[in-house]
Amino acid sequence: MEQIGPSTALLTDHYELTMLGSALADGSADRECVFEVFARRLPGGRRYGVVAGTGRVLDAIADFRFTDAELTQLEETAVVDSATLSWLADYRFSGDVDGYPEGELYFPGSPLLTVRGSFAEAVVLETLILSILNHDSAIASAAARMSAAASGRPIIEMGGRRTHELAAVAAARAAYLAGFATTSNLEAGRRYGIPTRGTTAHAYILLHDSEEAAFRSQVAKAGPDTTLLVDTYDITTGIDTAVRVAGPELGAIRIDSGDVGVLARKAREQLDDLGAKDTRIMVSGDLDEHAIAALRAEPVDAYGVGTSVVTGSGAPTAGMVYKLVDVDGRPVAKRSEDKASRGGRKSAVRRHKATGTALEEVVHPADTPPELGEHDRVVPIPLMRAGKPAGGLPTLEDARTRLRRGMVSLPWEGLKLSGGEPAIPTTFI
Amino acid sequence: MEQIGPSTALLTDHYELTMLGSALADGSADRECVFEVFARRLPGGRRYGVVAGTGRVLDAIADFRFTDAELTQLEETAVVDSATLSWLADYRFSGDVDGYPEGELYFPGSPLLTVRGSFAEAVVLETLILSILNHDSAIASAAARMSAAASGRPIIEMGGRRTHELAAVAAARAAYLAGFATTSNLEAGRRYGIPTRGTTAHAYILLHDSEEAAFRSQVAKAGPDTTLLVDTYDITTGIDTAVRVAGPELGAIRIDSGDVGVLARKAREQLDDLGAKDTRIMVSGDLDEHAIAALRAEPVDAYGVGTSVVTGSGAPTAGMVYKLVDVDGRPVAKRSEDKASRGGRKSAVRRHKATGTALEEVVHPADTPPELGEHDRVVPIPLMRAGKPAGGLPTLEDARTRLRRGMVSLPWEGLKLSGGEPAIPTTFI
């Protein structure tokens, strides 16, 4: 189990507990409820979203416990009454959860997570579940676009410094899930086994008496198969010095500033002229999916991406909501302007052509599934049963594989970076 | 001390430790260095930034320790050699830190944090310091614009579900620092003593057999001085029912959807007609600083703000960098295109008119301060000395006060929400 902390129970909105208190008092707390996580739309005309965070959600639910520390805080601040405190002291989620596995594509209205249990036990999980899914899916959705734009060239995630220190760890996980090769974040390496990479920053060059001295020191320590950062002063001089110091077996150079496309082309020529034909070129510095796509024709071997991936490249949250859709078997829905919801517990089937290309997301009442064609499949999987993790849950590597396959299944317009309609329509039956 | 975790040491980029390893090997690790945190620009034509996170940085530095768990991970993944592991095992930051106190306004080039120590002990803090400052300052900078737009009407921060579950806690802190009245986040209440608030969501209404039954239950539990959510079905009916159930002493209604300005006006009339003249109107639902400003003329008593504040309202990161500016008393600077830096340890003075209006941010070499006029002041304060927190560090409440005063000191154009030049120019001497 991932250790988010001793307890995740206070990563919760105040109103979840006041609702709980009132519902316990009036007896409605025991009603059997279904809550559904979905996104009304994809941000910024994106063509698809990528589910991420589900694995973290399951761990966080397991850690959702009100110990003395949490109960004392709630008592001292009078958030709830003593009857509610007693109920919370015994809290263990005992319900069922189904949902889209990590790495699955999603579309507007896809039933991403379905939580079944008493109102009391399910309502208190709203904030925690949404926080994790909204963050991680936003990052994975942006990262998948970058991975697609990179067309197989590796990307290292190096944005930890641009986001909250622990969001950084989750962001590294989501980016890796979405096809990034490695991360700079050491804690993501520890928690999730993601390969970490890194060599030197400009500070290392500036620390030394000269660029050459810095390169010599780095090569002495790491060997010639390292990455030398060549843009601290003058790039052409930097490359000359790098090859002189490391020899033509130099592993890679990194360029972190300027018009990296032009600079990569010039650097490639220079490296080739110096006999360093196998020395790779890594570029970084404010890259997003559009910049990566624009570099397709350039002699770039690897990308370093920071700010844009950890901030969701313009869409830092996935905008998912957690809505009550069923009470004691009765569908419920609000009718608020612009925010109407669809009642009833749902599931989803993705229809495909015989070629494997996705055609349609069919969202249907859970109890009346449509007929499954030969190339169709049910999207949600069981995640928890009676409060315990379901068997055979997919791993992070499974999620990477699932997403790779999902991307291949998209119609070609669905891979466009420009804004437009979702790659496939959602049909509600 | 805030407990971020047992150790913050791996919230670090891989390359910090490989640089450390090389520098220990070549002897440069002991050179006396100065690193400086600054922002090259303000995002999106903002007129000012707000420093937040410094308090969390000091706690995180105190928790930056390589215990067996961290060392084992680094050893198993071969990030560093055994000499470096030994050095890390004894790591304690022993240097000095100066910086802008939390709640201080900042401008492009302001020296926000200055870390002095050996290269080795200062370089490894880069990622952690930037993560915290970039996140928290982004939130505070957005929140300050919202607070200014709200002109004294209270705002509750309720965006926890739209961001990483622990970023949510820091975001609540930064929003409170920037003038928000309360938060929905219970963990922010526990960690930072921020007042938390909340009543009910739409799920609570839907859980019950009717809106009236839900209102009756809530009022029975919380008394009439509560906030009833009136937009689940029809708002006019909802308000009628709310006042019928709670009486004219109803505390507040909340409207979370639709054109809240128009709806607030109609609701005010309706409440007044029903004799509920003191019942307040709270609005929420996709509000940002522009929406809040547009509601100035409407009868709104309080705002609930979620997504926009926790995502920095279009600028989710402050873009601050941590640059080596001095080595053994020698100023150093890189010359990279678009990313050139200014060498040397710096401090800053803010000049003001006799009226108290800010005129100019003067950034100067730390050892040669300019003459202080009667209305000028030195901006940075001592934060750490020889690895220990400096005495008399400002509290979160101090930061709120400081920012309120800072906002008053801005020239009036500096409070504009539209994009433009920084409120005051930065002069480098």
Side-chain angles (χ1 to χ4, degrees):
Chain A
M1 283 291 172
E2 173 190 359
Q3 285 303 313
I4 288 185
S7 165
T8 57
L10 292 192
L11 302 173
T12 298
D13 284 322
H14 187 120
Y15 78 3
E16 316 290 2
L17 299 193
T18 47
M19 284 193 279
L20 171 67
S22 296
L24 286 171
D26 75 12
S28 60
D30 291 333
R31 294 186 173 185
E32 276 302 305
C33 286
V34 180
F35 285 86
E36 180 186 299
V37 175
F38 64 96
R40 296 181 204 281
R41 63 193 73 85
L42 300 173
R46 298 254 182 101
R47 311 305 180 106
Y48 58 87
V50 175
V51 176
T54 318
R56 295 210 307 119
V57 164
L58 300 182
D59 291 337
I61 291 176
D63 291 333
F64 199 90
R65 297 270 187 280
F66 291 84
T67 70
D68 285 348
E70 286 75 35
L71 295 171
T72 303
Q73 167 69 16
L74 295 175
E75 187 172 16
E76 286 178 355
T77 52
V79 173
V80 290
D81 61 15
S82 60
T84 309
L85 288 174
S86 300
W87 189 92
L88 290 173
D90 295 330
Y91 182 84
R92 298 288 184 278
F93 179 70
S94 70
D96 294 346
V97 181
D98 293 79
Y100 280 38
E102 289 193 277
E104 186 57 84
L105 300 172
Y106 74 87
F107 303 95
S110 296
L112 303 175
L113 203 78
T114 307
V115 178
R116 282 175 286 168
S118 71
F119 177 79
E121 66 179 340
V123 74
V124 296
L125 298 175
E126 174 178 28
T127 307
L128 182 60
I129 288 176
L130 285 178
S131 288
I132 295 174
L133 292 180
N134 271 325
H135 175 267
D136 291 13
S137 299
I139 308 304
S141 297
R145 288 158 56 87
M146 296 172 191
S147 295
S151 305
R153 292 173 178 172
I155 312 180
I156 176 173
E157 183 283 310
M158 40 191 259
R161 65 190 56 194
R162 304 286 179 230
T163 186
H164 181 276
E165 68 276 17
L166 290 164
V169 184
R173 179 183 186 276
Y176 182 69
L177 186 158
F180 278 40
T182 52
T183 179
S184 64
N185 190 286
L186 291 170
E187 182 65 19
R190 171 162 69 172
R191 285 197 199 178
Y192 306 117
I194 301 171
T196 64
R197 291 289 182 278
T199 45
T200 43
H202 295 103
Y204 187 76
I205 313 292
L206 295 172
L207 171 69
H208 288 83
D209 297 332
S210 68
E211 188 175 51
E212 176 167 343
F215 288 173
R216 286 206 183 282
S217 162
Q218 184 178 332
V219 169
K221 184 80 179 127
D225 188 19
T226 186
T227 302
L228 293 175
L229 179 60
V230 295
D231 71 339
T232 305
Y233 304 111
D234 174 77
I235 294 181
T236 306
T237 311
I239 292 173
D240 270 340
T241 309
V243 176
R244 181 155 37 83
V245 167
E249 57 269 39
L250 172 62
I253 61 164
R254 177 158 78 98
I255 302 173
D256 183 51
S257 52
D259 181 342
V260 291
V262 173
L263 295 172
R265 225 177 308 145
K266 287 173 59 179
R268 182 74 270 156
E269 275 182 29
Q270 188 183 352
L271 287 167
D272 288 350
D273 288 348
L274 293 168
K277 292 190 185 297
D278 294 331
T279 299
R280 297 179 303 281
I281 298 175
M282 177 188 174
V283 300
S284 56
D286 298 328
L287 298 180
D288 64 8
E289 61 269 47
H290 303 284
I292 292 170
L295 288 167
R296 269 185 192 144
E298 305 300 344
V300 170
D301 298 287
Y303 303 98
V305 176
T307 305
S308 66
V309 68
V310 301
T311 59
S313 200
T317 183
M320 294 171 186
V321 294
Y322 183 87
K323 292 297 168 192
L324 180 61
V325 293
D326 196 284
V327 178
D328 283 342
R330 169 179 62 90
V332 297
K334 62 177 181 158
R335 297 196 296 268
S336 316
E337 201 176 325
D338 301 330
K339 290 190 178 175
S341 53
R342 287 182 183 79
R345 181 160 75 90
K346 306 176 199 71
S347 185
V349 164
R350 190 162 302 156
R351 297 202 185 279
H352 298 83
K353 291 189 204 175
T355 57
T357 301
L359 273 175
E360 185 185 24
E361 186 92 333
V362 181
V363 177
H364 61 83
D367 297 334
T368 56
E371 208 172 318
L372 272 191
E374 189 186 345
H375 307 288
D376 302 340
R377 63 184 175 84
V378 175
V379 192
I381 63 170
L383 295 169
M384 293 186 87
R385 287 293 175 264
K388 303 276 178 250
L393 287 174
T395 64
L396 186 55
E397 292 298 331
D398 294 337
R400 275 167 72 88
T401 305
R402 186 182 305 273
L403 179 57
R404 269 200 305 274
R405 291 185 184 148
M407 298 291 283
V408 172
S409 79
L410 283 176
W412 70 268
E413 317 88 59
L415 288 169
K416 281 186 182 174
L417 292 179
S418 56
E421 294 298 309
I424 58 172
T426 306
T427 305
F428 296 91
I429 59 175
Chain B
M1 282 290 174
E2 173 190 3
Q3 283 303 313
I4 288 185
S7 166
T8 56
L10 292 190
L11 302 173
T12 298
D13 284 323
H14 187 120
Y15 77 3
E16 316 291 3
L17 299 193
T18 48
M19 283 193 279
L20 171 67
S22 296
L24 286 171
D26 76 12
S28 59
D30 291 333
R31 295 186 173 185
E32 276 303 304
C33 287
V34 181
F35 286 85
E36 178 187 300
V37 174
F38 63 96
R40 294 181 204 284
R41 62 192 73 85
L42 300 174
R46 298 254 182 100
R47 311 304 181 107
Y48 58 88
V50 175
V51 175
T54 318
R56 297 209 307 119
V57 164
L58 300 183
D59 291 338
I61 292 175
D63 291 333
F64 199 91
R65 296 273 187 275
F66 292 84
T67 70
D68 286 349
E70 287 75 37
L71 295 170
T72 303
Q73 166 69 16
L74 295 175
E75 187 171 17
E76 287 177 355
T77 52
V79 172
V80 289
D81 61 15
S82 60
T84 309
L85 288 174
S86 302
W87 189 91
L88 290 173
D90 296 329
Y91 182 83
R92 299 286 184 279
F93 179 71
S94 70
D96 294 346
V97 181
D98 294 80
Y100 280 37
E102 290 193 276
E104 186 58 83
L105 300 172
Y106 75 87
F107 303 95
S110 296
L112 302 175
L113 203 78
T114 306
V115 178
R116 281 174 287 169
S118 70
F119 177 78
E121 65 178 339
V123 73
V124 297
L125 298 176
E126 174 178 29
T127 308
L128 182 60
I129 287 175
L130 285 179
S131 288
I132 296 174
L133 292 181
N134 271 323
H135 175 267
D136 291 14
S137 299
I139 308 303
S141 297
R145 287 158 56 86
M146 296 172 190
S147 296
S151 305
R153 292 172 177 173
I155 312 180
I156 175 172
E157 183 282 312
M158 41 190 260
R161 64 190 56 194
R162 305 285 180 230
T163 186
H164 181 275
E165 69 276 18
L166 290 164
V169 183
R173 180 184 185 276
Y176 181 69
L177 185 159
F180 279 40
T182 52
T183 178
S184 65
N185 191 287
L186 291 170
E187 183 64 19
R190 172 162 68 172
R191 284 196 200 179
Y192 305 116
I194 301 171
T196 64
R197 292 289 183 278
T199 46
T200 45
H202 295 103
Y204 187 76
I205 312 292
L206 295 172
L207 170 69
H208 288 83
D209 297 333
S210 69
E211 190 176 51
E212 177 168 343
F215 287 174
R216 285 205 184 282
S217 161
Q218 184 178 332
V219 170
K221 185 80 179 123
D225 189 20
T226 186
T227 302
L228 293 175
L229 180 59
V230 295
D231 72 340
T232 306
Y233 305 110
D234 174 76
I235 294 180
T236 305
T237 310
I239 292 174
D240 270 340
T241 308
V243 177
R244 182 153 38 81
V245 167
E249 57 270 39
L250 172 63
I253 61 165
R254 177 159 77 99
I255 302 173
D256 184 51
S257 53
D259 182 342
V260 292
V262 174
L263 294 173
R265 227 176 307 147
K266 287 173 60 180
R268 183 73 271 156
E269 276 182 29
Q270 188 183 351
L271 287 167
D272 288 349
D273 288 348
L274 293 167
K277 292 190 185 297
D278 294 332
T279 300
R280 297 178 302 280
I281 298 175
M282 177 188 172
V283 299
S284 56
D286 298 328
L287 298 180
D288 64 8
E289 62 270 45
H290 303 284
I292 292 169
L295 288 166
R296 269 186 192 145
E298 306 299 344
V300 170
D301 298 287
Y303 303 97
V305 175
T307 305
S308 66
V309 67
V310 300
T311 60
S313 200
T317 184
M320 295 171 185
V321 295
Y322 182 88
K323 293 297 168 194
L324 180 60
V325 294
D326 197 284
V327 178
D328 282 340
R330 169 179 62 91
V332 298
K334 61 178 182 157
R335 296 196 297 267
S336 316
E337 199 176 327
D338 300 332
K339 291 188 178 176
S341 52
R342 287 182 183 79
R345 181 159 76 89
K346 306 177 199 70
S347 185
V349 165
R350 190 162 302 156
R351 297 205 185 277
H352 299 82
K353 292 189 207 178
T355 57
T357 301
L359 272 174
E360 185 186 26
E361 186 91 334
V362 181
V363 177
H364 60 85
D367 296 335
T368 55
E371 206 171 321
L372 274 190
E374 188 187 346
H375 307 288
D376 302 339
R377 64 186 173 84
V378 175
V379 193
I381 63 171
L383 295 169
M384 293 186 87
R385 285 295 175 262
K388 303 275 178 249
L393 287 173
T395 64
L396 186 54
E397 294 296 332
D398 293 336
R400 276 167 71 88
T401 305
R402 186 183 305 274
L403 179 56
R404 268 200 306 273
R405 291 186 184 149
M407 297 292 281
V408 171
S409 79
L410 283 176
W412 70 268
E413 319 88 61
L415 288 169
K416 282 186 180 175
L417 292 179
S418 56
E421 294 298 310
I424 58 172
T426 306
T427 306
F428 297 90
I429 59 174

